[in-house]
Amino acid sequence: MANVLTVEHLTKKFAGLTAVNDLSFTMKERTIHSLIGPNGSGKSTTINMCTGSLPITSGTVKYRDEIISGRVLHEVASRNIGRTFQNLKLFGSMTVEENLMVGMQAQMKDGILKFLVSPASAKAEEKRANERAMEVLDYIGMYKYRNETVANLAYGQQKLTELGRSIMTAPKLLFLDEPAAGLNPSERVEFVKILLKVFDDGIDLFLIEHNMDVVMNISNYITVINFGSKIAEGTPKEIQNNDEVIAAYLGSQFKKK
Ligand SMILES: Nc1ncnc2c1ncn2[C@@H]1O[C@H](COP(=O)(O)OP(=O)(O)OP(=O)(O)O)[C@@H](O)[C@H]1O
Ligand SMILES: [Mg+2]
């Protein structure tokens, strides 16, 4: 299988702090690849650099055969790469449906220009976005909530709304930053089912997640970082039995014979 993501010597320095330190790894096509590690170890910073949300200090990120590091957010997004954020970035006072439609428009960089030049084609685009929103809402089981104001929804439904927004443009690779954080056990089971459906339908998943039941059950491959540096990589079984990972992050409760 081809590499969908190739990260080489990726480094991010904030004033006085190296958040990501010379990180290299590859992600294969048709896998769920997880990035785990303690709080503050550089996971979100890694995703932010891969998706063009944050400039890199040094190193490269390749999506399939193309170097995407150095490109900005909408350029990365237009290469069929989507993401969710660790902290919900939904518009609380807008409806579920509107939040999904915004997700599509955010990736149409010439949206406003198009509207000025040709209001008719902008209208047609809005209609398409609306149809796509209905399709996605049905897909994630949120159709009945489409007209609810997001702030009034349960947290689990808000997380689903964000997932829905991230798949509006039908990405091929999706970065998920703690998508199941804060969900109760039954919401989590429901969420994982939908994630697996998304994966089965052809979207490769790069996942940051602290819930080890989720990580160990659905990942094909795991990269572990600590203080910005890679300390291990392998299958869930290999990671659960890696002494350095157990010492730095997992504890021994996940050790499997
Ligand atoms: N914009 C920023 N400016 C300065 N320091 C930052 C910035 N963003 C992150 N950091 C620091 O970089 C380090 C890595 O942060 P990051 O958010 O990537 O960690 P994380 O692994 O995602 O942690 P968590 O599991 O808590 O989400 C932390 O020490 C953090 O305080
Ligand atoms: Mg984080």
XYZ file of all heavy atoms in Angstrom, residues 175-256:
647
model
N -7.913 14.220 9.515
C -7.194 14.339 10.789
C -8.209 14.631 11.887
O -8.971 15.594 11.791
C -6.195 15.498 10.726
C -5.013 15.251 9.858
C -5.047 15.569 8.507
C -3.842 14.705 10.383
C -3.936 15.358 7.689
C -2.728 14.484 9.579
C -2.773 14.817 8.229
N -8.184 13.814 12.934
C -9.160 13.962 14.020
C -8.423 14.193 15.332
O -7.672 13.321 15.787
C -10.005 12.690 14.121
C -10.825 12.334 12.879
C -11.203 10.846 12.892
C -12.073 13.201 12.808
N -8.633 15.362 15.932
C -7.933 15.682 17.185
C -8.870 15.453 18.370
O -9.709 16.289 18.685
C -7.444 17.140 17.147
C -6.396 17.409 18.231
O -6.254 16.569 19.154
O -5.733 18.458 18.154
N -8.732 14.307 18.995
C -9.547 13.892 20.143
C -11.049 13.992 19.869
O -11.785 14.678 20.589
C -9.156 14.709 21.385
C -7.681 14.538 21.727
C -7.344 14.967 23.159
O -8.246 14.916 24.009
O -6.193 15.326 23.402
N -11.494 13.300 18.822
C -12.905 13.419 18.450
C -13.859 12.850 19.492
O -15.012 13.250 19.552
C -12.996 12.624 17.138
C -11.892 11.626 17.241
C -10.776 12.346 17.959
N -13.381 11.903 20.313
C -14.285 11.259 21.271
C -14.085 11.766 22.698
O -14.686 11.246 23.641
C -14.100 9.744 21.216
N -13.257 12.804 22.861
C -12.996 13.320 24.218
C -14.282 13.886 24.805
O -15.043 14.565 24.124
C -11.937 14.409 24.164
N -14.529 13.577 26.070
C -15.687 14.139 26.759
C -16.989 13.409 26.490
O -18.029 13.772 27.039
N -16.941 12.380 25.649
C -18.168 11.621 25.393
C -18.385 10.598 26.505
O -17.424 10.054 27.053
C -18.081 10.882 24.049
C -17.859 11.737 22.801
C -17.945 10.861 21.550
C -18.865 12.875 22.728
N -19.647 10.336 26.822
C -19.905 9.271 27.795
C -19.797 7.923 27.070
O -19.746 7.882 25.838
C -21.247 9.495 28.507
C -22.430 9.362 27.568
O -22.448 8.499 26.686
N -23.416 10.221 27.730
N -19.734 6.808 27.826
C -19.465 5.525 27.176
C -20.431 5.183 26.044
O -19.996 4.683 25.003
C -19.563 4.517 28.323
C -19.149 5.310 29.524
C -19.693 6.703 29.299
N -21.710 5.465 26.193
C -22.619 5.076 25.106
C -22.469 5.998 23.904
O -22.547 5.551 22.755
C -24.074 4.995 25.586
O -24.550 6.273 25.901
N -22.241 7.278 24.160
C -21.964 8.194 23.042
C -20.687 7.761 22.310
O -20.591 7.846 21.090
C -21.747 9.627 23.547
C -22.999 10.340 24.034
C -22.689 11.697 24.665
O -21.580 11.898 25.230
O -23.567 12.574 24.616
N -19.718 7.300 23.096
C -18.431 6.909 22.510
C -18.601 5.699 21.587
O -18.049 5.659 20.491
C -17.428 6.594 23.628
C -15.986 6.581 23.148
C -15.025 6.190 24.250
N -15.152 7.051 25.409
C -15.257 6.627 26.673
N -15.229 5.339 26.944
N -15.369 7.489 27.660
N -19.379 4.729 22.027
C -19.626 3.538 21.210
C -20.273 3.958 19.884
O -19.870 3.513 18.803
C -20.537 2.534 21.968
C -21.054 1.449 21.026
C -19.776 1.926 23.135
N -21.258 4.843 19.983
C -21.965 5.329 18.799
C -20.993 6.073 17.873
O -20.972 5.882 16.658
C -23.095 6.269 19.271
C -24.127 6.583 18.226
C -24.615 5.341 17.487
O -24.824 4.267 18.102
O -24.756 5.463 16.274
N -20.152 6.892 18.472
C -19.206 7.699 17.699
C -18.211 6.808 16.956
O -17.918 7.021 15.775
C -18.469 8.668 18.629
C -17.780 9.770 17.890
C -18.411 10.990 17.672
C -16.497 9.606 17.389
C -17.791 12.008 16.969
C -15.865 10.617 16.678
C -16.512 11.821 16.474
N -17.696 5.799 17.661
C -16.714 4.898 17.036
C -17.342 4.151 15.862
O -16.707 3.977 14.820
C -16.122 3.931 18.085
C -15.377 2.783 17.415
C -15.189 4.686 19.029
N -18.611 3.753 16.022
C -19.315 3.090 14.909
C -19.319 3.981 13.672
O -19.067 3.526 12.555
C -20.773 2.828 15.309
C -21.033 1.467 15.858
C -22.555 1.224 15.892
C -22.893 0.370 17.098
N -24.277 0.552 17.553
N -19.606 5.257 13.892
C -19.672 6.182 12.754
C -18.277 6.409 12.168
O -18.101 6.441 10.953
C -20.365 7.496 13.170
C -21.833 7.186 13.460
C -20.237 8.558 12.080
C -22.624 8.311 14.036
N -17.272 6.493 13.042
C -15.887 6.638 12.543
C -15.510 5.461 11.651
O -14.892 5.640 10.596
C -14.904 6.679 13.711
C -14.553 8.020 14.330
C -13.358 7.848 15.265
C -14.262 9.069 13.268
N -15.864 4.251 12.089
C -15.510 3.066 11.311
C -16.255 3.032 9.978
O -15.721 2.609 8.961
C -15.785 1.783 12.117
C -14.828 1.578 13.301
C -15.259 0.374 14.144
C -13.381 1.394 12.823
N -17.487 3.546 10.002
C -18.249 3.642 8.751
C -17.555 4.618 7.789
O -17.405 4.344 6.600
C -19.682 4.100 9.072
C -20.603 4.133 7.887
C -22.074 4.222 8.300
C -22.498 5.657 8.529
N -23.957 5.851 8.495
N -17.115 5.746 8.341
C -16.404 6.752 7.541
C -15.150 6.119 6.925
O -14.861 6.277 5.743
C -16.032 7.974 8.423
C -15.009 8.869 7.740
C -17.292 8.766 8.779
N -14.433 5.362 7.752
C -13.222 4.691 7.262
C -13.552 3.664 6.178
O -12.910 3.644 5.116
C -12.477 4.031 8.426
C -11.280 3.250 7.980
C -10.144 3.904 7.526
C -11.291 1.862 7.982
C -9.028 3.188 7.075
C -10.190 1.141 7.537
C -9.066 1.807 7.083
N -14.557 2.847 6.454
C -14.942 1.813 5.474
C -15.361 2.419 4.145
O -15.217 1.800 3.098
C -16.086 0.955 6.015
C -15.603 -0.026 7.071
O -14.381 -0.283 7.112
O -16.427 -0.512 7.858
N -15.888 3.630 4.199
C -16.321 4.278 2.960
C -15.180 4.991 2.237
O -15.412 5.754 1.300
C -17.487 5.231 3.245
C -18.760 4.440 3.510
O -18.850 3.290 3.038
O -19.656 4.955 4.204
N -13.945 4.787 2.710
C -12.803 5.215 1.898
C -12.000 6.386 2.423
O -11.102 6.874 1.748
N -12.319 6.868 3.636
C -11.544 7.996 4.170
C -10.497 7.457 5.149
O -10.838 6.819 6.145
C -12.468 9.017 4.886
C -13.566 9.503 3.934
C -11.646 10.180 5.445
C -14.519 10.524 4.544
N -9.218 7.686 4.851
C -8.161 7.276 5.768
C -8.169 8.198 6.990
O -8.373 9.407 6.857
C -6.798 7.339 5.065
C -6.740 6.372 3.888
O -7.423 5.333 3.945
O -6.023 6.672 2.908
N -7.936 7.624 8.181
C -8.068 8.418 9.407
C -6.754 8.527 10.156
O -6.095 7.524 10.433
C -9.106 7.773 10.333
C -10.528 7.603 9.787
C -11.422 6.924 10.830
C -11.123 8.957 9.381
N -6.382 9.767 10.473
C -5.247 10.026 11.360
C -5.836 10.548 12.656
O -6.476 11.597 12.684
C -4.305 11.061 10.738
C -3.040 11.248 11.532
C -1.938 10.439 11.304
C -2.961 12.219 12.523
C -0.760 10.600 12.049
C -1.792 12.376 13.274
C -0.689 11.567 13.024
N -5.612 9.800 13.732
C -6.383 10.023 14.952
C -5.503 10.349 16.158
O -4.538 9.640 16.448
C -7.167 8.720 15.239
C -7.983 8.616 16.503
C -9.205 9.518 16.427
C -8.419 7.161 16.717
N -5.861 11.430 16.853
C -5.300 11.681 18.184
C -6.399 11.337 19.171
O -7.525 11.818 19.035
C -4.920 13.171 18.378
C -3.779 13.566 17.452
C -4.522 13.417 19.839
C -3.407 15.046 17.565
N -6.091 10.498 20.157
C -7.132 10.092 21.098
C -6.479 9.602 22.395
O -5.484 8.895 22.354
C -7.979 8.983 20.438
C -9.104 8.445 21.254
C -10.067 9.521 21.736
O -10.564 10.315 20.915
O -10.311 9.590 22.955
N -7.060 10.029 23.530
C -6.530 9.583 24.821
C -7.229 8.322 25.345
O -6.711 7.677 26.257
C -6.672 10.687 25.873
C -5.601 11.737 25.800
N -4.277 11.463 26.055
C -5.657 13.045 25.495
C -3.560 12.580 25.925
N -4.377 13.563 25.574
N -8.407 8.019 24.788
C -9.096 6.828 25.282
C -8.463 5.586 24.658
O -8.599 5.321 23.465
C -10.592 6.900 24.944
C -11.345 5.730 25.544
O -11.138 4.581 25.159
N -12.188 6.009 26.518
N -7.768 4.800 25.492
C -6.972 3.689 24.953
C -7.826 2.532 24.465
O -7.390 1.755 23.614
C -5.948 3.214 25.982
C -4.774 4.167 26.131
S -3.951 4.484 24.535
C -4.246 6.218 24.336
N -9.061 2.406 24.981
C -9.942 1.369 24.433
C -10.227 1.674 22.967
O -10.185 0.794 22.112
C -11.269 1.306 25.206
C -11.075 0.669 26.570
O -10.162 -0.171 26.691
O -11.809 1.029 27.497
N -10.511 2.955 22.702
C -10.769 3.361 21.316
C -9.518 3.141 20.472
O -9.554 2.481 19.435
C -11.219 4.851 21.253
C -11.303 5.309 19.800
C -12.555 5.051 21.968
N -8.393 3.674 20.936
C -7.151 3.617 20.148
C -6.768 2.167 19.838
O -6.505 1.819 18.687
C -5.995 4.315 20.899
C -4.658 4.011 20.241
C -6.235 5.811 20.955
N -6.742 1.340 20.875
C -6.243 -0.027 20.688
C -7.206 -0.878 19.849
O -6.806 -1.814 19.180
C -5.979 -0.697 22.041
C -4.901 0.001 22.856
S -3.330 0.117 21.951
C -2.363 1.183 23.036
N -8.495 -0.528 19.904
C -9.471 -1.323 19.147
C -9.543 -0.974 17.674
O -9.834 -1.842 16.848
C -10.867 -1.172 19.762
C -11.051 -2.124 20.908
O -10.687 -3.296 20.809
N -11.574 -1.630 22.013
N -9.322 0.299 17.329
C -9.575 0.645 15.923
C -8.318 0.974 15.119
O -8.388 1.067 13.901
C -10.624 1.786 15.776
C -10.048 3.145 16.182
C -11.896 1.475 16.561
C -11.000 4.300 15.861
N -7.162 1.166 15.788
C -5.980 1.582 15.026
C -5.322 0.404 14.324
O -5.219 -0.689 14.879
C -4.933 2.205 15.961
O -5.514 3.225 16.726
N -4.828 0.641 13.122
C -3.969 -0.335 12.463
C -2.524 -0.133 12.888
O -1.744 -1.079 12.945
C -4.048 -0.185 10.943
C -5.450 -0.330 10.443
O -6.102 0.653 10.118
N -5.951 -1.552 10.410
N -2.198 1.132 13.162
C -0.812 1.462 13.465
C -0.787 2.666 14.397
O -1.673 3.523 14.331
C -0.063 1.789 12.165
C 1.422 1.541 12.236
C 1.924 0.243 12.242
C 2.314 2.607 12.323
C 3.290 0.007 12.314
C 3.687 2.376 12.393
C 4.171 1.068 12.387
O 5.517 0.833 12.465
N 0.219 2.718 15.268
C 0.268 3.788 16.268
C 1.675 4.390 16.319
O 2.675 3.665 16.303
C -0.094 3.234 17.672
C -1.509 2.624 17.658
C 0.005 4.333 18.737
C -1.882 1.889 18.933
N 1.730 5.716 16.355
C 2.990 6.419 16.619
C 2.865 7.048 18.002
O 1.847 7.655 18.324
C 3.221 7.522 15.557
O 3.280 6.925 14.261
C 4.520 8.274 15.818
N 3.906 6.882 18.808
C 3.870 7.425 20.172
C 4.919 8.518 20.320
O 6.092 8.310 19.959
C 4.169 6.328 21.230
C 3.868 6.855 22.641
C 3.375 5.069 20.952
N 4.508 9.675 20.826
C 5.492 10.732 21.077
C 5.494 11.140 22.553
O 4.503 10.983 23.263
C 5.284 11.981 20.176
C 3.910 12.621 20.371
C 5.495 11.632 18.714
C 3.740 13.934 19.588
N 6.627 11.646 22.959
C 6.802 12.163 24.327
C 7.750 13.355 24.224
O 8.795 13.253 23.571
C 7.391 11.055 25.219
C 7.281 11.396 26.696
O 6.444 12.220 27.095
N 8.118 10.771 27.505
N 7.376 14.465 24.830
C 8.170 15.700 24.696
C 8.542 15.996 23.241
O 9.671 16.373 22.933
C 9.443 15.623 25.566
C 9.153 15.517 27.035
C 9.431 14.339 27.733
C 8.586 16.583 27.730
C 9.145 14.227 29.092
C 8.293 16.476 29.089
C 8.579 15.303 29.777
N 7.584 15.785 22.335
C 7.790 16.153 20.936
C 8.571 15.165 20.102
O 8.679 15.326 18.882
N 9.126 14.120 20.739
C 9.935 13.156 19.985
C 9.244 11.795 19.927
O 8.591 11.383 20.894
C 11.303 12.961 20.650
O 12.005 14.172 20.670
N 9.462 11.097 18.831
C 8.891 9.753 18.709
C 9.603 8.802 19.652
O 10.839 8.756 19.679
C 9.048 9.280 17.256
C 8.417 7.925 17.002
C 8.323 7.620 15.524
C 9.667 7.198 14.948
N 9.572 6.865 13.517
N 8.830 8.055 20.440
C 9.474 7.057 21.303
C 9.134 5.629 20.873
O 9.804 4.688 21.280
C 9.139 7.244 22.804
C 7.635 7.155 23.067
C 9.719 8.565 23.318
C 7.293 7.047 24.561
N 8.098 5.466 20.052
C 7.768 4.114 19.586
C 6.791 4.193 18.432
O 6.102 5.196 18.258
C 7.133 3.298 20.721
N 6.728 3.124 17.654
C 5.673 2.975 16.657
C 5.449 1.496 16.426
O 6.355 0.682 16.621
C 6.014 3.697 15.344
C 7.270 3.221 14.683
C 7.633 4.080 13.463
O 6.791 4.860 12.988
O 8.771 3.946 13.000
N 4.216 1.154 16.053
C 3.925 -0.251 15.817
C 2.438 -0.522 15.866
O 1.616 0.394 15.900
N 2.104 -1.809 15.857
C 0.701 -2.212 15.945
C 0.227 -1.992 17.387
O 1.049 -1.867 18.314
C 0.557 -3.704 15.608
O 1.305 -4.442 16.592
C 1.100 -4.017 14.218
N -1.099 -1.971 17.619
C -1.591 -1.817 18.986
C -0.947 -2.825 19.946
O -0.558 -2.467 21.064
C -3.101 -2.060 18.843
C -3.406 -1.573 17.463
C -2.207 -1.955 16.636
N -0.805 -4.058 19.521
C -0.229 -5.082 20.391
C 1.217 -4.732 20.750
O 1.641 -4.841 21.908
C -0.309 -6.433 19.686
C 0.072 -7.590 20.559
C -0.676 -8.865 20.172
C -0.233 -9.998 21.074
N 0.648 -10.951 20.399
N 1.984 -4.304 19.750
C 3.384 -3.948 20.011
C 3.470 -2.752 20.969
O 4.300 -2.727 21.875
C 4.088 -3.604 18.682
C 4.382 -4.829 17.835
C 4.700 -4.500 16.358
O 4.572 -3.326 15.954
O 5.041 -5.428 15.638
N 2.589 -1.774 20.749
C 2.629 -0.562 21.572
C 2.234 -0.868 23.013
O 2.835 -0.365 23.969
C 1.706 0.522 20.965
C 2.263 0.981 19.614
C 1.515 1.697 21.913
C 3.682 1.499 19.639
N 1.232 -1.725 23.189
C 0.783 -2.073 24.535
C 1.851 -2.795 25.337
O 1.824 -2.786 26.559
C -0.464 -2.977 24.446
C -1.719 -2.201 24.202
C -2.849 -3.104 23.747
O -2.938 -3.471 22.581
N -3.717 -3.478 24.653
N 2.793 -3.412 24.626
C 3.842 -4.165 25.312
C 5.198 -3.471 25.297
O 6.199 -4.052 25.694
C 3.959 -5.558 24.684
C 2.754 -6.411 25.019
O 2.535 -6.734 26.180
N 1.957 -6.721 24.027
N 5.203 -2.215 24.838
C 6.469 -1.483 24.752
C 6.773 -0.828 26.103
O 6.013 0.013 26.585
C 6.341 -0.438 23.637
C 7.615 0.346 23.436
O 8.073 1.020 24.352
N 8.185 0.255 22.254
N 7.878 -1.218 26.707
C 8.173 -0.757 28.069
C 8.314 0.756 28.167
O 7.893 1.360 29.152
C 9.447 -1.449 28.588
C 9.181 -2.926 28.891
O 8.015 -3.247 29.200
O 10.124 -3.736 28.795
N 8.911 1.357 27.132
C 9.095 2.807 27.195
C 7.741 3.533 27.131
O 7.523 4.538 27.815
C 10.003 3.267 26.037
C 10.571 4.650 26.288
C 11.546 5.091 25.192
O 11.966 4.242 24.376
O 11.852 6.294 25.175
N 6.827 3.001 26.313
C 5.492 3.608 26.197
C 4.717 3.420 27.502
O 4.030 4.329 27.979
C 4.709 2.989 25.012
C 3.309 3.587 24.930
C 5.465 3.212 23.710
N 4.855 2.250 28.083
C 4.175 1.980 29.354
C 4.684 2.952 30.426
O 3.895 3.553 31.158
C 4.406 0.500 29.784
C 3.619 -0.417 28.837
C 3.971 0.282 31.228
C 3.972 -1.888 28.962
N 5.997 3.144 30.456
C 6.574 4.042 31.471
C 6.178 5.493 31.234
O 5.851 6.231 32.171
C 8.102 3.896 31.470
N 6.165 5.920 29.965
C 5.933 7.337 29.677
C 4.461 7.693 29.681
O 4.087 8.830 29.972
C 6.542 7.694 28.320
N 3.593 6.735 29.347
C 2.219 7.134 29.073
C 1.157 6.139 29.514
O 0.215 6.490 30.212
C 2.089 7.398 27.565
C 0.716 7.842 27.133
C 0.098 8.930 27.742
C 0.035 7.179 26.120
C -1.169 9.342 27.341
C -1.228 7.587 25.714
C -1.827 8.666 26.329
O -3.065 9.062 25.937
N 1.305 4.890 29.125
C 0.177 3.972 29.266
C -0.051 3.455 30.673
O -1.177 3.207 31.068
C 0.378 2.742 28.352
C 0.147 2.916 26.865
C 0.314 1.561 26.182
C -1.240 3.476 26.591
N 1.027 3.309 31.442
C 0.898 2.514 32.661
C 0.810 1.053 32.266
O 0.770 0.732 31.078
N 0.743 0.166 33.237
C 0.838 -1.261 32.889
C -0.510 -1.918 32.647
O -0.578 -3.060 32.217
C 1.583 -2.009 33.987
O 0.954 -1.728 35.215
N -1.632 -1.189 32.861
C -2.935 -1.866 32.782
C -3.276 -2.358 31.390
O -4.150 -3.198 31.226
C -4.065 -0.986 33.345
C -4.539 0.155 32.455
C -3.768 1.440 32.714
O -2.599 1.414 33.059
N -4.427 2.567 32.541
N -2.582 -1.813 30.375
C -2.918 -2.230 29.014
C -2.027 -3.347 28.490
O -2.204 -3.819 27.393
C -2.873 -1.034 28.067
C -4.128 -0.235 28.132
C -4.208 0.895 28.922
C -5.251 -0.652 27.438
C -5.382 1.620 29.008
C -6.440 0.059 27.516
C -6.498 1.196 28.305
N -1.044 -3.723 29.328
C -0.096 -4.740 28.861
C -0.822 -6.041 28.539
O -1.636 -6.528 29.320
C 0.967 -4.973 29.938
C 2.143 -5.748 29.440
C 3.390 -5.461 30.275
C 4.560 -6.223 29.694
N 5.836 -5.757 30.197
N -0.555 -6.566 27.356
C -1.209 -7.814 26.948
C -0.152 -8.848 26.603
O 0.856 -8.536 25.997
C -2.079 -7.571 25.707
C -3.273 -6.680 25.970
C -4.565 -7.359 25.492
C -5.797 -6.623 25.980
N -6.140 -5.487 25.097
